[in-house]
Amino acid sequence: MTLADIITLRMQSVCQRVGTCSSCLKRQLNGFLGLIKWQRRLVPPCVRTIYSETGKWEKSYGLETRKRVENWWLPRLKDQVCRISETNKSRPKFYVLSMFPYPSGKLHMGHVRVYTMSDAVARFQKMRGMQVINPMGWDAFGLPAENAAVEHGLHPASWTQSNIQHMREQFDALGLSFTWEREITTCLPEYYKWTQYLFLKLFEAGIVYQKEALVNWDPVDQTVLANEQVDDNGCSWRSGAKVEQKYLKQWFIKTTAYAKAMFDALSDLPEWYGIKEMQANWIGDCVGCYLDFLLKVDGEVTGEKLAAYTYTPEAIYGASHLYILPTHRLLHGNSSLKEVFQREFVPGKDSLTSVTAVNLLTDQEIPVVISAKTNFENFLDTKIGIPSTSAEDAAVAKNLGISFTEVIETLPNGLEKVINSAEITGMTRQEALKAVTQQAKNKRIGGDLTSDKLRDWLISRQRYWGTPIPIIHCQTCGTVPVPYEDLPVVLPNVSTFTGKGASPLETVPEWVNCFCPRCKAAARREADTMDTFVDSSWYYLRYTDPHNRDRPFNSDLADYWMPVDLYIGGKEHAVMHLFYARFFSHFCHDLKMTKHKEPFHKLLVQGLIKNQTFRLTTTGQCLKREEVDLTGTEPVHLKTGENLLVAWEKMSKSKHNGIDPEELVKEYGIDTLRLYILFAAPPEQDILWDAKTDAMPGVQRWQTRLWALVTKLIEARTSGTMPNPELLNKKEKAEARKIWEQKNLVISEVTEYFTKDHLFNAAISRLMSLTNILHQASRPLILHSTEFEDALASLCIMVAPMAPHIASEMWKGLAHMQNKLCTHHHWDADVLHQSWPKVDPEFLQPSDVVEMSVLINNKACGTVFVPQQAARNFEEVHELVLQSELGIKHLQGRTIKKAFLSPRTALINFLVQE
């Protein structure tokens, strides 16, 4: 290879890494040479058929051929990629998961994008020899089903089941290959039995509790409203009444108990495209903790318990007062102390009350003060006043005449020690912090390090269509968990839904009224159901063992499949859903149910698909396309001629800018739509939908040119001349060498795009460039060159995960071609059962690669070749080793605590948990 050739290859690589824009690609495609017109026809021009049907190769890839190809291959490819009869734990695995949908009844383009990506990755990893699952299920509880029951008289269960059936058919029509035998549906008792089981485990651990909280209350319909049922003017969507805020007893999960652990674990995760920063910001700096207090009035215990936050737990023995906001629930809810607090509160002033608080850790009793402030830091409404560590707290205590003790002493050397603090006296502040928080956690009275911005998770919903909360209320025994053997608590059949009054479950006396499991006296079931986020916070674990009737999942199976290798979903779920899912995974780890704390390794957050909206400037109303005149320079209202506000917005039925995927499949075909979705933009960027732009015609032309390459080779090999590489002259052999080099370069880059950054658009662009190079080959090269045949076969294999139907048919044509030169391909198997192409070893020159020694727990276990330009980059070497055969064999499924790279000695050492 000449220096010029090397530079050309590397420049192509560099250009590809920065991405190829659609307009550049258009120029590239327009610059292609015209297809060579050969005289011989394999099939008469009037016939449109395909090889798989007739054994005759159709020369051109037009509309009819495309329809025949997809009609033939669609049912044959269905499910074949990811079906696993029994998990073979000795094989390397790949778990790709796309966020499961709510069964609304119709797929939209956002669904098509996320599931096309997961499908392409699943097919690619299967071709790499992985045991792959790409499961699908349904986040099936939720408010829309209940609304449908109110508006159309349909029971939520039948409405949901009908929608699931329709959406499954739509999935199949898009050629999406899911591991359907692992399908889960969260509204079925066999699933929510285990959601209830996990709730009881949380209850046992003291991580579930009840307290009063504000809800949206419709005073006309006398019902609780979800946030989405309140309009922008603060009115009920159904009655139109002004919504009120009302205090009701609600169930909470104490996610703050895991705040510090979850914050710290973020550092062990790979780059998440900015999502780690969003998670860290959501959690906040975990510097303080909550501690529990019992409230008293006139020396009498009231039964009220209060958790208060402090930034300096180590100074707790110096607490002078408890500080609450004027908006605190104790002043506005149903507390027995409400009257006392309201009577003693002086607006605008710090109000010292007659209520005292007993610290359950230190047994100190301090007064409760209602603050003059309207808010504290972030979301706090209760704080512990500690004058030793806060000048503001000291000022409040002095102003109100509250005595306090100094508990922090600064030594001459600057070291701060704790004094006057019982058994922690003499400790450093850091030592005291650990001691206090650990004591509190042991006594279950707080102590978990958290931030001032993270709040516990309110999971109560006054709704029917959700997982019943497995709690029984007994007048004698209080709050009693349903025994495990009585799970699931099944939703009763409610026939009438009005959307008014209390939760529909309250209207079923035979279900609500029950007996206490402890004392057997008459009792009542909890009538609230769980937030649907609870159902979706552990579904990834159920997929590992979806039919288990004895437990949520088998730990061995979960340990094999977890963590999810690639999790794909929308950015709108990057905070709450991801946080709750991580919380449940950490909790299950602490219960010894799983060995992995973190549920997801890599995260791929896809952008939106947007389309233009046309709004009236006067009212803001969105118009349908047919109501808009687009013939002039500016769009106007067809009826009135009024100028319109034009914007790119997320596709939505209400905005009249949605596009039906079924219509697109009819017009363009499955493979074209898939390729467009993958090619139009990098995964994390938004796609601005316009089928007339470069991307859609580009991928259509590319498929035609791919097909033409297969036609060229088949025609050459059936021309009567036997192929013989020895007949190539020196110039043609040099040309064949360049094809070989390009093939290897493209294999290397496309493999990296699939494994590292998932830049499908860049992968397609590189495959297009290889297509271009093959089209420039001379006829002798096509006839006699092993390199051309191998490059075309490799191209066909690499296209297959993204456009499986056309690739399957092209492969069938190649497989039955006469006089093949390449023997290393498995021609008797379909293209999706081929091994993913590997770079030929001789392509990697010694100067281009570094042999990296791999150690695990300081013991040598082999070497991995890495590109020289990556050998000094820790992240790249780390990922390349994990993706290598050695990494898959020795590191997959093990918890990596730390890794060290020594570029000077070409060595990487992984410290793993034994």
Side-chain angles (χ1 to χ4, degrees):
M1 197 187 326
T2 67
L3 179 63
D5 291 333
I6 294 171
I7 292 171
T8 302
L9 287 173
R10 294 303 173 216
M11 282 300 292
Q12 288 171 340
S13 174
V14 171
C15 291
Q16 188 51 38
R17 287 178 190 282
V18 299
T20 301
C21 69
S22 295
S23 58
C24 296
L25 184 71
K26 185 179 182 182
R27 290 195 295 274
Q28 181 187 26
L29 290 167
N30 289 341
F32 278 161
L33 297 174
L35 299 182
I36 298 171
K37 304 286 185 183
W38 288 344
Q39 296 294 319
R40 191 173 185 279
R41 290 184 180 275
L42 300 184
V43 182
C46 57
V47 177
R48 287 292 175 265
T49 183
I50 62 170
Y51 183 88
S52 293
E53 288 180 321
T54 65
K56 293 181 180 178
W57 182 258
E58 167 57 44
K59 182 178 176 181
S60 62
Y61 190 70
L63 180 66
E64 281 304 310
T65 304
R66 185 261 293 164
K67 285 183 179 176
R68 283 181 176 273
V69 166
E70 293 187 351
N71 287 342
W72 175 269
W73 284 104
L74 183 63
R76 287 164 176 79
L77 299 183
K78 184 177 179 292
D79 294 347
Q80 72 173 12
V81 171
C82 299
R83 180 171 287 141
I84 297 170
S85 54
E86 194 171 328
T87 301
N88 180 356
K89 293 178 194 166
S90 66
R91 283 183 58 195
K93 64 89 184 181
F94 196 91
Y95 183 176
V96 56
L97 179 61
S98 40
M99 295 179 184
F100 64 171
Y102 178 77
S104 59
K106 207 164 183 63
L107 289 181
H108 54 67
M109 289 303 294
H111 288 132
V112 176
R113 189 178 192 190
V114 66
Y115 300 131
T116 298
M117 288 193 288
S118 69
D119 184 74
V121 170
R123 294 179 189 276
F124 162 76
Q125 293 291 353
K126 177 70 162 47
M127 295 168 88
R128 290 184 77 213
M130 299 289 193
Q131 187 167 216
V132 176
I133 55 170
N134 177 27
M136 178 47 61
W138 311 96
D139 193 6
F141 275 135
L143 196 55
E146 213 158 323
N147 293 340
V150 174
E151 292 163 23
H152 308 299
L154 295 168
H155 192 276
S158 57
W159 184 84
T160 301
Q161 196 51 51
S162 171
N163 288 351
I164 286 173
Q165 184 58 39
H166 181 58
M167 289 176 76
R168 272 203 68 160
E169 291 165 5
Q170 288 181 301
F171 276 138
D172 290 344
L174 287 166
L176 297 169
S177 179
F178 292 114
T179 321
W180 280 115
E181 67 266 26
R182 291 176 181 267
E183 180 181 18
I184 58 173
T185 305
T186 61
C187 68
L188 296 180
E190 53 262 38
Y191 181 87
Y192 68 72
K193 169 182 180 175
W194 303 113
T195 305
Q196 292 171 340
Y197 172 95
L198 291 170
F199 176 94
L200 293 179
K201 289 293 182 187
L202 288 163
F203 185 85
E204 283 177 10
I207 295 176
V208 165
Y209 66 94
Q210 239 185 336
K211 74 170 184 181
E212 282 191 332
L214 284 173
V215 295
N216 300 312
W217 180 256
D218 184 329
V220 173
D221 284 347
Q222 293 286 296
T223 191
V224 174
L225 301 175
N227 288 334
E228 57 266 38
Q229 293 177 306
V230 181
D231 67 22
D232 293 338
N233 298 315
C235 296
S236 168
W237 71 313
R238 186 177 291 115
S239 72
K242 196 74 175 173
V243 172
E244 299 171 357
Q245 296 287 293
K246 183 175 179 177
Y247 278 93
L248 287 181
K249 259 201 164 184
Q250 305 279 278
W251 285 97
F252 289 80
I253 293 177
K254 196 187 291 184
T255 48
T256 51
Y258 279 81
K260 184 73 165 68
M262 291 171 66
F263 185 95
D264 291 345
L266 288 170
S267 62
D268 297 327
L269 294 169
E271 178 52 50
W272 274 8
Y273 304 100
I275 304 305
K276 283 207 297 189
E277 289 75 12
M278 291 170 69
Q279 283 278 299
N281 186 57
W282 176 265
I283 296 169
D285 293 327
C286 302
V287 295
C289 72
Y290 286 92
L291 294 170
D292 289 348
F293 290 78
L294 275 181
L295 300 188
K296 287 182 173 183
V297 176
D298 299 326
E300 294 292 322
V301 175
T302 63
E304 281 285 356
K305 198 174 176 182
L306 197 57
Y309 189 80
T310 173
Y311 293 97
T312 54
E314 70 276 14
I316 189 61
Y317 282 91
S320 59
H321 58 281
L322 211 59
Y323 219 19
I324 65 173
L325 288 177
T327 52
H328 197 281
R329 64 176 178 84
L330 291 175
L331 279 81
H332 303 279
N334 302 302
S335 167
S336 59
L337 299 173
K338 178 178 175 180
E339 191 179 323
V340 177
F341 279 127
Q342 287 186 344
R343 184 175 65 244
E344 298 180 348
F345 172 51
V346 180
K349 289 186 177 181
D350 289 322
S351 307
L352 181 61
T353 71
S354 59
V355 180
T356 57
V358 179
N359 186 326
L360 294 180
L361 182 67
T362 65
D363 291 329
Q364 289 176 304
E365 190 169 339
I366 54 177
V368 177
V369 174
I370 305 171
S371 176
K373 293 182 174 183
T374 54
N375 59 275
F376 294 145
E377 297 86 344
N378 289 307
F379 296 119
L380 296 180
D381 65 1
T382 312
K383 290 201 307 181
I384 304 171
I386 304 179
S388 286
T389 56
S390 166
E392 184 184 340
D393 292 347
V396 170
K398 286 173 184 174
N399 188 45
L400 295 175
I402 304 171
S403 61
F404 58 87
T405 305
E406 290 290 350
V407 292
I408 302 295
E409 178 185 39
T410 305
L411 302 180
N413 62 2
L415 183 68
E416 291 183 308
K417 286 209 165 189
V418 176
I419 58 173
N420 302 322
S421 298
E423 70 275 11
I424 63 170
T425 297
M427 291 185 182
T428 64
R429 289 188 67 169
Q430 192 58 38
E431 290 167 345
L433 173 68
K434 286 182 181 176
V436 167
T437 53
Q438 191 57 53
Q439 283 177 31
K441 283 192 280 189
N442 292 344
K443 293 182 177 181
R444 288 193 178 182
I445 52 172
D448 298 294
L449 287 178
T450 185
S451 72
D452 59 13
K453 65 195 301 186
L454 186 66
R455 291 181 286 186
D456 285 338
W457 178 12
L458 192 163
I459 64 160
S460 287
R461 295 295 180 268
Q462 291 71 41
R463 293 277 165 266
Y464 168 74
W465 196 235
T467 298
I469 294 176
I471 289 292
I472 291 169
H473 298 285
C474 172
Q475 285 194 333
T476 306
C477 305
T479 303
V480 182
V482 170
Y484 287 104
E485 60 270 21
D486 292 346
L487 297 181
V489 177
V490 179
L491 276 175
N493 187 24
V494 174
S495 55
T496 305
F497 294 86
T498 63
K500 299 179 181 182
S503 165
L505 292 176
E506 295 274 19
T507 67
V508 189
E510 64 274 20
W511 184 86
V512 173
N513 297 320
C514 62
F515 295 100
C516 173
R518 287 182 189 161
C519 70
K520 310 305 177 189
R524 286 178 66 81
R525 291 192 187 279
E526 174 61 60
D528 283 359
T529 53
M530 294 186 211
D531 177 10
T532 55
F533 270 115
V534 181
D535 307 312
S536 60
S537 292
W538 73 280
Y539 77 115
Y540 51 87
L541 286 164
R542 184 64 177 173
Y543 277 140
T544 67
D545 190 17
H547 308 299
N548 197 321
R549 294 185 177 185
D550 301 320
R551 63 190 83 171
F553 49 86
N554 177 286
S555 293
D556 287 342
L557 287 171
D559 289 345
Y560 171 75
W561 285 112
M562 293 297 290
V564 173
D565 295 280
L566 181 64
Y567 194 33
I568 310 175
K571 198 168 187 175
E572 66 272 22
H573 300 300
V575 176
M576 286 205 302
H577 161 66
L578 207 55
F579 176 78
Y580 298 145
R582 292 182 62 225
F583 165 80
F584 262 91
S585 185
H586 276 248
F587 178 69
C588 288
H589 171 78
D590 282 357
L591 290 185
K592 305 286 191 289
M593 294 171 72
T594 60
K595 73 176 181 183
H596 300 286
K597 275 189 181 180
E598 287 294 328
F600 313 119
H601 178 59
K602 277 194 172 181
L603 183 68
L604 182 57
V605 177
Q606 95 278 5
L608 301 172
I609 299 186
K610 295 181 175 180
N611 202 357
Q612 286 183 310
T613 54
F614 302 93
R615 295 176 187 269
L616 293 172
T617 52
T618 49
T619 63
Q621 178 194 345
C622 286
L623 299 178
K624 297 176 182 176
R625 272 292 162 120
E626 54 268 29
E627 298 175 305
V628 180
D629 182 357
L630 296 166
T631 57
T633 54
E634 297 291 333
V636 295
H637 192 191
L638 205 57
K639 273 187 183 176
T640 64
E642 180 185 340
N643 284 330
L644 303 173
L645 293 171
V646 183
W648 290 96
E649 297 184 57
K650 181 181 177 180
M651 287 187 181
S652 162
K653 192 176 177 182
S654 62
K655 295 173 186 171
H656 306 300
N657 70 336
I659 293 173
D660 187 348
E662 290 182 53
E663 294 302 315
L664 290 172
V665 168
K666 284 179 191 172
E667 184 176 354
Y668 296 107
I670 301 170
D671 286 337
T672 303
L673 179 58
R674 286 169 63 104
L675 289 170
Y676 171 83
I677 287 287
L678 297 172
F679 179 59
E684 70 274 9
Q685 290 182 15
D686 294 341
I687 292 177
L688 303 183
W689 180 268
D690 186 349
K692 296 182 181 65
T693 57
D694 302 332
M696 188 66 87
V699 294
Q700 285 179 304
R701 287 195 298 270
W702 181 43
Q703 289 172 90
T704 303
R705 293 177 65 75
L706 284 168
W707 191 273
L709 284 173
V710 177
T711 300
K712 279 186 179 185
L713 185 56
I714 292 173
E715 286 182 333
R717 296 294 169 82
T718 53
S719 62
T721 305
M722 287 294 289
N724 183 356
E726 296 302 317
L727 296 178
L728 294 173
N729 61 35
K730 188 175 181 181
K731 181 183 176 185
E732 288 162 347
K733 285 180 179 177
E735 195 181 341
R737 175 75 183 184
K738 285 186 179 178
I739 287 175
W740 176 82
E741 289 165 355
Q742 281 292 332
K743 177 209 76 170
N744 278 291
L745 181 63
V746 170
I747 288 171
S748 170
E749 293 181 340
V750 170
T751 304
E752 184 170 323
Y753 289 134
F754 260 95
T755 55
K756 190 176 178 185
D757 297 322
H758 308 288
L759 295 176
F760 307 107
N761 61 316
I764 290 171
S765 185
R766 292 303 285 129
L767 295 174
M768 286 176 166
S769 71
L770 182 57
T771 307
N772 184 25
I773 286 159
L774 293 179
H775 262 294
Q776 294 169 11
S778 61
R779 185 171 183 187
L781 204 66
I782 297 168
L783 174 60
H784 297 299
S785 162
T786 305
E787 289 84 355
F788 182 92
E789 181 182 311
D790 188 32
L792 181 53
S794 298
L795 177 61
C796 191
I797 292 169
M798 288 188 284
V799 167
M802 297 179 282
H805 307 88
I806 185 175
S808 295
E809 184 61 22
M810 290 192 304
W811 186 265
K812 190 66 77 174
L814 291 174
H816 289 83
M817 175 181 68
Q818 299 173 25
N819 307 316
K820 287 190 287 291
L821 295 172
C822 293
T823 56
H824 61 279
H825 296 295
H826 302 292
W827 294 108
D828 55 338
D830 288 341
V831 69
L832 288 167
H833 294 288
Q834 300 301 312
S835 294
W836 186 258
K838 287 187 172 70
V839 175
D840 295 316
E842 59 267 35
F843 178 72
L844 291 170
Q845 299 300 318
S847 59
D848 292 336
V849 296
V850 172
E851 188 174 8
M852 186 68 62
S853 298
V854 180
L855 279 68
I856 297 177
N857 290 341
N858 303 311
K859 293 179 183 176
C861 67
T863 60
V864 171
F865 289 98
V866 301
Q868 189 176 43
Q869 65 268 28
R872 304 187 74 82
N873 185 304
F874 171 77
E875 295 269 338
E876 290 196 37
V877 173
H878 187 277
E879 193 60 34
L880 286 167
V881 172
L882 291 183
Q883 294 282 350
S884 69
E885 288 182 18
L886 182 147
I888 289 165
K889 181 179 178 183
H890 294 290
L891 292 168
Q892 190 176 73
R894 301 178 74 180
T895 302
I896 298 170
K897 296 190 288 188
K898 203 93 175 169
F900 304 93
L901 174 67
S902 172
R904 187 176 58 80
T905 56
L907 178 149
I908 186 167
N909 186 9
F910 291 87
L911 301 183
V912 302
Q913 197 170 303
E914 293 292 357

